[in-house]
């Protein structure tokens, strides 16, 4: 436009006026972009926290009921049992190792083990907030990009609708989830087992959706000065929705403070899956074998049914390795079971695999547990041993869903002898398995958080930034796209409003619609529209 003015001999005054108009428009847009940073949604996990501190234990009745989105800077709950203390038998401070070189531990190393798990409400009035945190996770409820800003509203709606039934389920197993209790016991026993190997260590518990949150555990790890960290998700099989979600959160925490989490300061390594670990297979085979003793002489009368937590089929289509690992895991366990039986002269036992805990209208992994039970009952089966495959401790999916709901389905289908294999909990074989995984991880080359995500969650798509506005690095992609949409809209609106003005000149001839969008009249129209919309005089 300025080139046109100079070519036609227009006065300098007009050119200065257009320049002033351009400057006004640019300044207005810059101010809008900058001030919109204050409209960014509140981060949905513990951010901007004060240093972690527990002044004194609070009874559970006084613990504040908060969702992740509402958690403040201080966590006023008793974590002494979880992070070590006199009551749990752990040391108050993490001592230096005197050296266990055969396990890769040097003198002076402070070894920490971070358990990652789902978490669960310990009281009935915590259920809805727990469900909100669960469904607010983008790895659990996957929305189209255009709907992602509404994730919190949708999660709250789902949590409100499901809370009454979930409360009944938790009430039927004693009023809350025992998952923290069992996980704490596993950590205490692992610490003792590693001590036998000459390794002083401390176990930290990081739950994804309820207390103690992962953020609390990472704060305590930094406070204790850990310099060797083994991260063990308590999910034998890797899934985007379980291990993947926790690892992605850890990756976010590490990236927010790269100096503190520099691998040269804290050498961390991940055990991403362990469904084929010999110790795990041995433990499962031992527990199943104990349930099969009743059918030692007539194995044809019983069937082993593995019931694994399901995931939507769309996850598997997107590359989630969970289904393949579950199928391989069940096969490996039964080979171990039948190998032991054959060595004793007993006949092999038949088995099947199914999936439980489906939610919502989408298609989940099949066959479903309740469907298989009905089919087996109709076929005349009277005896069954159910094995909770993807669970390492008792919680609502085993104590209520399997023990109560599926037992009723089985009895109604004619299966009169319904036996359920216990979860691993603190079985000595399993504790030894955890110790072996820890020492292997310390001894072998480290697998970083970022490497784990790249290994298990590769995608051809360019990852998007979080939905934010403002002059921030994370907002560049969003703001850029909004600017492109605005320019395109301006071009269309200008052409519709005034048609294509005739613009001469060898460099731009024949590009009327494009040039109209960038003409002085076009920008003036945009500035007027913005001023009108914002009531600016």
């Amino acid at each position: 436009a300025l080139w046109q003015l100079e070519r036609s001999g227009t006065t300098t005054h007009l050119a200065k006026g257009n320049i002033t108009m351009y400057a006004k428009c640019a300044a207005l847009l810059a101010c809008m972009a900058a001030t919109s940073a204050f409209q960014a949604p509140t981060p949905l996990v513990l951010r901007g926290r004060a240093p972690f501190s527990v002044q004194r234990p609070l009874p559970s009745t006084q613990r504040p009921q908060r969702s992740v989105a509402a958690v403040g800077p201080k966590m006023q709950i008793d974590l002494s049992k979880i992070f070590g203390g006199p009551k749990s038998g752990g040391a108050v401070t993490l001592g230096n190792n005197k050296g266990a070189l055969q396990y890769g531990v040097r003198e002076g190393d402070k070894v920490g083990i971070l358990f990652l798990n789902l978490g669960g409400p310990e009281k009935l009035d915590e259920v809805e907030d727990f469900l909100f945190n669960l469904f607010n996770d983008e790895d659990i409820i996957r929305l189209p990009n255009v709907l992602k800003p509404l994730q919190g509203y949708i999660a709250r709606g789902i949590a409100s609708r499901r809370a009454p039934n979930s409360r009944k389920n938790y009430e039927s197993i004693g009023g809350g989830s025992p998952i923290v209790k069992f996980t704490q016991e596993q950590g205490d026993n692992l610490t003792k087992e590693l001590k036998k190997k000459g390794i002083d260590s401390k176990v930290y518990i990081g739950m994804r959706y309820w207390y103690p949150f992962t953020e609390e555990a990472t704060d305590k790890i930094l406070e204790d000065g850990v310099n060797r960290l083994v991260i063990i998700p308590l999910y034998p099989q890797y899934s985007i929705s379980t291990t993947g979600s926790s690892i992605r959160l850890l990756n976010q925490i590490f990236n927010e403070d790269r100096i503190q989490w520099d691998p040269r300061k804290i050498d961390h390594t991940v055990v991403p899956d362990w469904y084929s670990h010999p110790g795990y297979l041995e433990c499962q085979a031992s527990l199943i074998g104990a349930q099969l003793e009743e059918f030692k002489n007539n194995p044809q009368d019983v069937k082993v049914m593995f019931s694994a937590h399901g995931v939507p089929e769309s996850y598997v289509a997107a590359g989630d390795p969970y289904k393949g690992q579950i199928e391989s895991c069940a096969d490996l366990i039964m080979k171990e079971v039948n190998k032991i039986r054959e060595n004793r002269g007993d006949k092999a036992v038949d088995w099947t695999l199914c999936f439980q805990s489906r939610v919502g209208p989408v298609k989940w992994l099949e066959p479903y547990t309740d469907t298989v039970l009905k089919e087996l009952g109709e076929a005349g089966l009277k005896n069954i041993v159910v094995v909770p495959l993807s669970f390492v401790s008792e919680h609502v999916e085993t104590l209520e869903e399997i023990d109560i709901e599926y037992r009723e389905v089985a009895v109604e289908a004619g299966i009169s002898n319904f036996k359920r294999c216990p979860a691993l909990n603190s079985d000595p074989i399993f504790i030894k398995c955890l110790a072996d995984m820890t020492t292997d991880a310390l001894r072998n080359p480290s697998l970083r958080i970022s490497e784990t995500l790249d290994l298990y969650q590769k995608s051809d798509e360019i990852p998007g930034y979080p939905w934010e506005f403002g002059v921030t690095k994370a907002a560049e992609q969003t703001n850029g796209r909004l600017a492109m949409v605005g320019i395109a809209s301006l071009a269309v609106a200008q052409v519709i409003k005034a048609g294509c003005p005739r613009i001469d000149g060898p460099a731009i001839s024949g590009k009327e619609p494009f040039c109209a969008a960038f003409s002085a009249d076009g920008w003036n129209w945009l500035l007027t529209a913005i001023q009108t919309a914002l009531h600016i005089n």
Side-chain angles (χ1 to χ4, degrees):
L2 293 176
W3 173 81
Q4 284 182 272
L5 293 172
E6 292 178 3
R7 189 170 183 268
S8 60
T10 307
T11 64
T12 305
H13 174 73
L14 292 176
K16 288 182 177 179
N18 285 328
I19 292 173
T20 302
M21 183 275 299
Y22 275 105
K24 284 182 178 180
C25 187
L28 181 60
L29 291 174
C31 289
M32 290 174 62
T35 56
S36 64
F38 295 99
Q39 301 172 8
T42 302
L44 295 179
V45 285
L46 307 174
R47 293 289 171 259
R49 304 179 303 281
F52 186 89
S53 172
V54 178
Q55 299 299 327
R56 62 181 182 273
L58 277 180
S60 61
T61 55
Q62 297 181 22
R63 189 173 66 194
Q65 306 306 311
R66 295 167 289 188
S67 64
V68 171
V71 171
K74 292 185 179 180
M75 305 305 301
Q76 299 178 345
I77 60 174
D78 181 11
L79 301 179
S80 62
K81 293 184 178 180
I82 295 165
F83 293 132
K87 293 182 181 180
S88 64
V92 176
T93 59
L94 183 61
N96 292 332
N97 278 282
K98 295 183 179 179
L101 293 179
Q102 69 270 36
Y103 303 119
V105 179
R106 303 176 298 271
E107 184 174 355
D109 278 349
K110 292 187 175 183
V111 178
I113 299 101
L114 175 58
F115 280 170
L116 300 176
N117 211 332
L118 187 80
E122 296 180 0
K123 298 191 299 181
L124 296 180
D125 56 4
E126 297 175 348
V127 170
E128 184 172 336
D129 283 344
F130 165 76
L131 293 175
F132 168 76
N133 294 338
L134 176 69
F135 295 122
N136 199 40
D137 183 359
E138 293 183 5
D139 286 317
I140 300 296
I141 299 293
R142 295 189 157 193
L143 298 175
N145 289 335
V146 68
L147 295 179
K148 283 185 178 179
L150 302 176
Q151 180 97 26
Y153 298 100
I154 294 173
R156 180 56 69 186
I158 297 174
S160 297
R161 289 193 300 271
R162 293 183 60 84
N165 285 335
S166 293
R167 287 193 191 96
K168 293 179 182 177
N169 294 340
Y170 282 105
E171 189 173 13
S172 69
I173 63 171
S177 172
I179 193 170
V180 172
K181 170 180 173 289
F182 284 116
T183 306
Q184 175 195 328
E185 290 175 358
Q186 290 167 340
D188 290 343
N189 288 319
L190 173 58
T191 301
K192 295 174 184 176
E193 188 68 23
L194 290 173
K195 183 69 174 178
K196 296 177 183 178
K197 298 176 181 288
I199 301 175
D200 289 327
S201 63
K202 192 171 182 179
V203 173
Y204 303 83
I205 299 174
M207 297 298 186
R208 185 65 178 89
Y209 305 114
W210 205 244
Y211 299 100
F213 288 115
T214 305
E215 294 87 348
E216 300 173 51
T218 54
D219 281 350
K220 191 63 178 173
I221 289 169
L222 293 177
E223 182 182 305
D224 287 346
V226 171
N227 68 331
R228 299 292 302 280
L229 180 64
V230 179
I231 301 167
I232 303 180
L234 293 180
Y235 311 103
Q237 304 83 16
Y238 188 102
S239 174
I240 294 171
S241 58
T242 53
T243 301
S245 178
S246 290
I247 293 297
R248 278 160 54 92
L249 175 59
L250 274 180
N251 189 54
Q252 179 184 345
I253 293 171
F254 284 18
N255 286 336
E256 286 179 351
D257 196 344
R258 295 177 183 270
I259 296 177
Q260 291 273 27
W261 293 102
D262 189 323
R264 291 169 294 185
K265 290 184 177 181
I266 303 177
D267 182 8
H268 76 269
T269 187
V270 182
V271 183
D273 62 59
W274 36 276
Y275 67 94
S276 60
H277 192 281
Y280 171 68
L281 300 178
E282 179 187 356
C283 186
Q284 286 281 29
S286 174
L287 293 172
I288 295 171
Q291 299 296 320
L292 292 174
E293 279 299 310
E294 179 182 339
F295 312 99
K296 181 177 180 180
N297 298 322
N298 51 343
Q300 69 281 358
D301 295 339
V302 66
K303 183 183 286 286
V304 173
M305 185 180 79
F306 291 98
S307 185
H309 200 294
V311 297
E313 286 190 346
S314 59
Y315 285 34
V316 178
D320 193 338
Y322 179 73
K323 181 175 182 288
Q325 291 189 1
I326 280 287
E327 292 171 344
S328 177
C329 180
D331 182 63
L332 290 170
I333 292 172
M334 286 311 297
K335 284 181 178 177
E336 185 72 18
V337 170
N338 287 324
K339 177 182 177 182
I340 295 173
R341 294 180 63 84
E342 290 172 4
N343 290 340
R344 297 188 315 190
D346 298 333
K347 294 181 180 179
V349 175
D350 193 19
W351 62 278
T352 188
L353 170 65
C354 49
F355 299 90
Q356 66 179 81
S357 307
R358 66 185 184 274
V359 178
V362 300
K363 190 173 183 181
W364 284 50
L365 291 180
E366 294 180 313
Y368 301 137
T369 299
D370 52 353
T371 302
V372 171
L373 286 171
K374 293 174 184 176
E375 293 174 350
L376 293 176
E378 292 172 357
L381 184 71
K382 299 299 181 182
N383 307 296
I384 194 167
V385 174
V386 181
V387 182
L389 186 56
S390 48
F391 312 101
V392 300
S393 57
E394 305 290 1
H395 55 305
V396 70
E397 279 89 349
T398 59
L399 299 174
E400 195 280 330
E401 191 172 6
I402 294 179
D403 286 357
I404 298 176
E405 293 183 29
Y406 291 146
R407 183 183 297 273
E408 292 177 358
V409 173
V411 171
E412 291 177 2
I415 301 175
S416 56
N417 189 6
F418 183 95
K419 301 174 75 69
R420 201 261 291 178
C421 189
L424 305 182
N425 296 325
S426 289
D427 186 285
I429 301 176
F430 179 53
I431 298 302
K432 185 177 182 301
C433 168
L434 290 174
D436 290 343
M437 285 194 292
T438 301
T439 54
D440 288 345
L442 290 168
R443 183 170 46 235
N444 295 329
S446 297
L447 179 66
R448 305 300 185 199
I449 288 284
S450 57
E451 294 171 338
T452 303
L453 290 174
D454 183 62
L455 183 64
Y456 284 85
Q457 296 184 212
K458 289 183 178 179
S459 174
D460 294 333
E461 298 181 1
I462 299 175
Y465 291 110
W467 185 277
E468 294 182 33
F469 292 94
V471 185
T472 64
K473 181 177 179 181
E476 290 178 2
Q477 187 180 73
T478 301
N479 291 346
R481 288 176 178 175
L482 290 176
M484 292 167 59
V485 171
I487 292 173
S489 301
L490 172 62
V492 173
Q494 178 71 11
V495 171
I496 293 175
K497 175 176 178 287
C500 295
R502 181 65 183 171
I503 302 177
D504 296 323
I508 56 177
S509 179
K511 302 178 181 177
E512 287 82 358
F514 178 81
C515 293
F518 289 92
S519 66
D521 287 341
W523 282 107
N524 190 48
W525 174 85
L526 175 62
L527 180 60
T528 303
I530 293 174
Q531 288 176 332
T532 302
L534 298 179
H535 305 289
I536 300 175
N537 294 326

